[in-house]
C-alpha cells in the first residue's frame, strides 16, 4: 500500500528521485506505534516538500526494533529503529533520506546480523515488498511456481512436493505431498483446499506475519494445491484475533481475482480455482483440522473421529487438503526452484527451513527462518540474545501449550522433528517461549491442565474430566497434601490422557506436565504455602 506521496524539491536538491520510505503496516508494528510514525512522516514530507513516498510493508520480524523504518538508497535499504513519531523530524534533519547516521541507525537492513544469518525462503518477500502490489510480487519472483505448475501434469506437481520433503508446519509434521497424493487419488466431483490459519499456539505469529506481509504467496500456494489435486475451491480459516490479516487477505484475493490469478481460468489456463477467507470464532480446538472443518461448515467446533481422513471425507464430506499457512506458502518456491533446491536444506527427515518464532522472556524476539538443524540454544542465544530480564534461562517451551518444557541440559537439541520427539518434545509450529530462573514449573504444569480444561471440546472423557482432575491433583501436590500419593495419581492420569484421548489436545497435554515433573521435580516439593493467620 502506498499511502502518501509529496513531490517538490527533492531531499538533497537532486531533482526527479522519489525516495521510498518503508513503514510496516502489520499488526505487530501497529501495536507499537507504526501508524503514528507514518502520520508524522507524511506530515513532514508535506511540510518540507520532500520528493518521497511511503510504502506500508510487512514486518521483517525484528520485533524489538519495531517500528523499523527503512529508506531505499543507492547502496541498498537502510534501517532505523525502533522509531517513535517524535523521532521523525530529527531523522529527516540528520539526512535519513540519504541513509545518513542517527542514533537509531541500524545500517543496511540486509546486514543486520539477526537477518543476515537467516535463510529466508518462505519469508523471502516478507517485509521487503508492498504486500498488496502485484508488480512488487512479480518483480520478486511471484507467480513463477504457479506458472510452472500449470505446465505440469497434476501427478508431477504432487511428486515434486513429495520429493521436496516438505512436512506440514501446523504441528504434526506430516509430509505435505503424501497428503496431496491421497486427495489427488480420491474420486469426487468436488474437492477443497483448506488453509489452517487458526494459529493458536502460544508464542507463535509466523502465519500472521506472512498473511499480512506477503498474502499473494499463500494465494499462489493454494492455487498450486488446487491444480495439483483437482480442487476448484479453497477456504482460508483465519482466527478471529487476526483482523488485520483477515482484511489484507480479503483485499489480496480481490486483486488476484481481478488480475486473472484466481477464477474460472487461472493465469489464462483452462484450470479454475477460487478462494474465500473465513473468520474463526476464537477456540483453540478449532485449529485441529476436523474441528476446523466442523466450524467452517457452520457447526460447533468439535473433533470428528478419524478415520475417515479429511483427505478422503473432509469439508462437506468431500476430499479435502487441510494445510497450515506456512506449508502452503512454501509450495511456490518449491515449484519455482525445484524439489532438490528445497530438500538440500535441513537435516535428517526434516527438510528445508523452519520459521522459528522467538517469544517469552527473550531480548530479541522475532522471526528466524533457518534450515532445520540449528540447536535450540543457538536460536535463543545467537539470535535471541538471551533473556530480556538478563537472568539465566531455566526452561524453554517449544511447540505451543502442548509442548514439553526443556531444561538447560536439553538446549543443545537440534530443531528437527525426530530429535525433539526423541526427547519427548514437540517442534509443533516452531514457537519458542523462554523462561528465566524465576519460573515455577509446578505452576506451569497446572496451567497446562487448566488450559486443556478450558479449551477441551468435551467429546471424550480423558480430556474433559481428566484435565479438571489434573488441576485439582496439582493443587493438592503444591499444597503439600499427601504429596507422594498425589504425584502417583498425576502420573497415572497423564498416562491415561496420553493413551485414551480422542485428539492431540488431551493426548499431548501430559507433555508439559510430565516434562515439568521430570526435569524440575524440586518445584513440586517446595514447602507448602502457609495460610495467613485469621484476623483477630
Ligand atoms: C488442539 C490442536 C490445535 C491445532 N491448531 C493448529 C493451528 O492453529 N494451525 C495449524 O496449522 N494446525 C493446527 N493443528 C494441527 C492440525 O490439526 C493439522 O495437523 C494441520 O492443520 C495440518 O496441516 P499441515 O500438515 O500443513 O501442518 C492443531 C492440532 C491440534 C490437535
Ligand atoms: S481430547 Fe479433548 S479436545 Fe480432543 S476430542 Fe477429546 S475432549 Fe475433545
Amino acid at each position: 500500500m502506498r499511502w502518501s506521496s509529496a513531490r517538490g524539491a527533492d531531499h538533497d536538491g537532486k531533482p526527479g528521485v522519489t525516495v521510498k520510505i518503508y513503514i510496516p503496516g502489520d499488526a505487530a508494528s501497529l501495536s507499537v506505534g507504526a501508524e503514528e510514525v507514518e502520520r508524522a512522516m507524511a506530515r513532514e514530507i508535506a511540510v518540507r516538500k520532500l520528493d518521497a513516498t511511503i510504502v506500508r510493508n510487512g514486518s521483517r520480524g525484528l520485533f524489538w526494533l519495531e517500528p523499523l523504518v527503512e529508506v531505499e538508497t543507492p547502496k541498498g535499504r537502510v534501517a532505523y529503529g525502533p522509531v517513535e513519531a517524535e523521532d521523525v523530524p530529527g531523522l529527516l534533519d540528520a539526512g535519513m533520506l540519504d541513509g545518513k547516521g542517527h542514533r537509531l541507525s541500524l545500517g543496511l537492513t540486509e546486514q543486520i546480523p539477526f537477518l543476515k544469518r537467516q535463510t529466508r525462503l518462505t519469508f523471502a518477500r516478507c517485509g521487503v515488498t508492498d504486500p498488496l502490489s502485484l508488480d512488487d510480487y512479480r518483480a520478486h519472483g511471484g507467480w513463477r511456481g504457479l506458472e510452472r505448475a500449470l505446465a505440469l501434469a497434476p501427478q508431477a506437481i504432487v511428486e515434486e512436493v513429495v520429493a521436496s520433503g516438505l512436512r506440514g508446519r501446523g504441528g504434526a509434521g506430516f509430509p505435505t505431498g503424501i497428503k496431496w497424493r491421497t486427495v489427488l487419488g480420491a474420486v469426487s466431483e468436488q474437492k477443497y483446499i483448506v488453509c489452517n490459519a487458526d494459529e493458536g499456539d502460544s508464542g507463535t505469529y509466523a502465519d500472521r506475519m506472512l498473511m499480512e506481509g506477503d498474502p499473494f504467496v499463500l494465494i499462489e500456494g493454494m492455487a498450486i494445491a488446487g491444480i495439483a489435486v483437482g480442487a476448484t475451491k479453497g477456504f482460508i480459516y483465519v482466527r478471529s484475533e487476526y483482523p488485520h490479516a483477515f482484511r489484507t487477505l480479503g483485499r489480496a484475493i480481490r486483486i488476484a481475482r481481478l488480475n486473472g490469478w484466481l477464477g474460472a481460468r487461472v493465469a489464462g489456463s483452462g484450470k479454475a480455482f477460487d478462494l474465500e477467507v473465513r473468520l474463526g470464532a476464537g477456540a483453540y480446538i478449532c485449529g485441529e483440522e476436523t474441528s476446523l472443518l466442523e466450524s467452517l461448515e457452520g457447526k460447533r467446533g468439535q473433533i470428528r473421529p478419524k478415520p475417515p481422513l479429511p483427505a478422503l471425507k473432509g469439508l462437506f464430506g468431500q476430499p479435502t487438503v487441510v494445510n497450515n499457512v506456512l506449508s502452503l506458502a512454501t509450495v511456490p518456491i518449491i515449484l519455482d526452484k525445484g524439489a532438490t533446491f528445497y530438500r538440500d536444506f535441513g537435516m535428517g527427515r526434516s527438510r528445508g527451513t523452519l520459521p522459528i518464532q522467538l517469544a517469552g522472556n527473550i531480548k530479541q524476539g522475532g522471526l528466524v527462518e533457518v534450515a532445520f538443524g540449528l540447536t535450540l540454544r543457538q536460536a535463543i542465544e545467537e539470535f535471541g540474545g538471551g533473556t530480556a530480564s538478563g537472568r539465566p534461562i531455566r526452561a524453554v517451551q517449544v511447540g505451543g501449550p502442548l509442548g514439553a518444557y526443556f531444561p538447560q541440559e536439553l538446549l543443545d537439541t537440534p530443531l528437527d522433528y525426530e530429535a525433539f520427539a526423541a526427547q519427548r518434545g514437540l517442534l509443533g509450529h516452531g514457537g519458542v517461549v523462554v523462561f528465566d530462573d524465576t519460573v515455577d514449573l509446578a505452576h506451569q504444569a497446572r496451567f497446562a491442565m487448566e488450559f486443556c480444561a478450558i479449551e477441551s471440546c468435551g467429546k471424550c472423557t480423558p480430556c474433559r474430566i481428566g484435565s479438571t482432575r489434573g488441576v485439582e491433583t496439582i493443587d493438592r501436590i503444591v499444597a503439600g497434601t499427601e504429596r507422594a500419593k498425589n504425584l502417583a495419581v498425576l502420573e497415572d492420569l497423564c498416562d491415561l490422557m496420553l493413551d485414551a484421548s480422542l485428539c492431540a489436545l488431551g493426548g499431548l497435554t501430559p507433555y508439559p506436565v510430565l516434562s515439568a515433573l521430570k526435569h524440575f521435580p524440586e518445584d513440586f516439593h517446595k514447602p507448602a504455602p502457609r495460610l495467613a493467620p485469621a484476623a483477630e
Side-chain angles (χ1 to χ4, degrees), residues 247-265:
R247 209 165 43 232
T248 304
L249 282 171
R251 287 178 183 159
I253 288 170
R254 275 194 296 281
I255 294 169
R257 196 181 289 131
L258 276 172
N259 287 275
W261 296 105
L262 289 173
R265 292 167 52 79

Side-chain angles (χ1 to χ4, degrees), residues 105-348:
S105 295
L106 299 162
L108 290 170
T109 315
E110 303 288 344
Q111 298 301 319
I112 298 173
F114 188 89
L115 260 185
K116 197 179 170 192
R117 296 209 301 266
Q118 299 194 30
T119 304
R120 291 220 165 167
L121 303 184
T122 308
F123 282 80
R125 273 175 299 265
C126 196
V128 176
T129 54
D130 174 342
L132 292 178
S133 160
L134 275 181
D135 289 344
D136 258 13
Y137 188 64
R138 176 56 116 180
H140 288 81
W143 307 121
R144 289 206 299 242
L146 176 58
E147 282 166 345
R148 175 153 178 256
L150 284 167
L152 294 174
Q155 286 82 356
I157 306 173
V158 171
E159 293 316 313
E160 189 85 16
V161 178
V162 172
S164 74
L166 178 68
R167 290 167 74 175
R169 301 286 188 253
F174 187 81
T176 306
I178 305 285
K179 188 182 286 185
W180 289 20
R181 210 189 258 162
T182 308
V183 180
L184 173 64
V187 181
S188 175
E189 284 287 298
Q190 180 69 59
K191 299 178 187 177
Y192 295 105
I193 308 296
V194 171
C195 171
N196 188 340
D198 199 53
E199 196 167 53
D201 281 359
S202 37
T204 62
Y205 42 79
D207 294 352
R208 180 184 56 70
M209 258 184 75
L210 195 104
M211 290 186 285
E212 292 174 358
D214 192 15
F216 292 130
V217 77
L218 177 58
I219 294 171
E220 185 179 351
M222 291 185 73
I224 295 171
I227 285 154
V229 305
T232 52
K233 178 91 191 174
F235 292 91
I236 308 174
Y237 185 93
V238 181
R239 69 179 302 188
S240 59
E241 295 88 341
Y242 283 179
H244 299 89
F246 181 75
R247 209 165 43 232
T248 304
L249 282 171
R251 287 178 183 159
I253 288 170
R254 275 194 296 281
I255 294 169
R257 196 181 289 131
L258 276 172
N259 287 275
W261 296 105
L262 289 173
R265 292 167 52 79
V266 172
S269 71
K271 306 272 171 73
F273 187 75
D274 214 336
L275 265 179
E276 273 181 47
V277 53
R278 293 284 168 87
L279 209 53
Y284 182 70
I285 199 60
C286 286
E288 194 283 339
E289 57 185 3
T290 62
S291 216
L292 183 152
L293 294 175
E294 288 284 291
S295 176
L296 254 187
E297 290 179 10
K299 301 176 202 149
R300 180 176 155 197
Q302 266 202 325
I303 299 294
R304 293 178 186 170
K306 287 191 264 192
L309 292 172
L312 296 173
K313 209 165 179 294
L315 188 63
F316 303 116
Q318 304 305 317
T320 303
V321 167
V322 184
N323 271 139
N324 172 254
V325 173
L326 302 183
S327 319
L328 290 161
T330 302
V331 167
I333 195 166
I334 291 172
L335 265 294
D336 176 21
K337 297 207 186 274
T340 312
F341 165 83
Y342 191 74
R343 70 167 305 120
D344 275 354
F345 296 94
M347 70 173 275

Side-chain angles (χ1 to χ4, degrees), residues 55-119:
V55 179
R56 302 306 298 271
N57 55 337
S59 173
R60 295 265 194 169
L62 289 70
F63 287 159
W64 78 102
L65 296 174
E66 293 291 6
L68 181 93
V69 175
E70 291 175 81
V71 62
E72 202 162 78
T73 76
K75 285 192 210 138
R77 274 157 72 162
V78 175
Y80 301 84
V83 175
E84 293 182 29
E86 47 269 34
D87 296 322
V88 170
L91 278 164
L92 290 168
D93 291 345
M96 182 193 116
L97 294 194
D98 295 305
K100 290 189 179 155
H102 181 273
R103 75 182 160 81
L104 298 176
S105 295
L106 299 162
L108 290 170
T109 315
E110 303 288 344
Q111 298 301 319
I112 298 173
F114 188 89
L115 260 185
K116 197 179 170 192
R117 296 209 301 266
Q118 299 194 30
T119 304

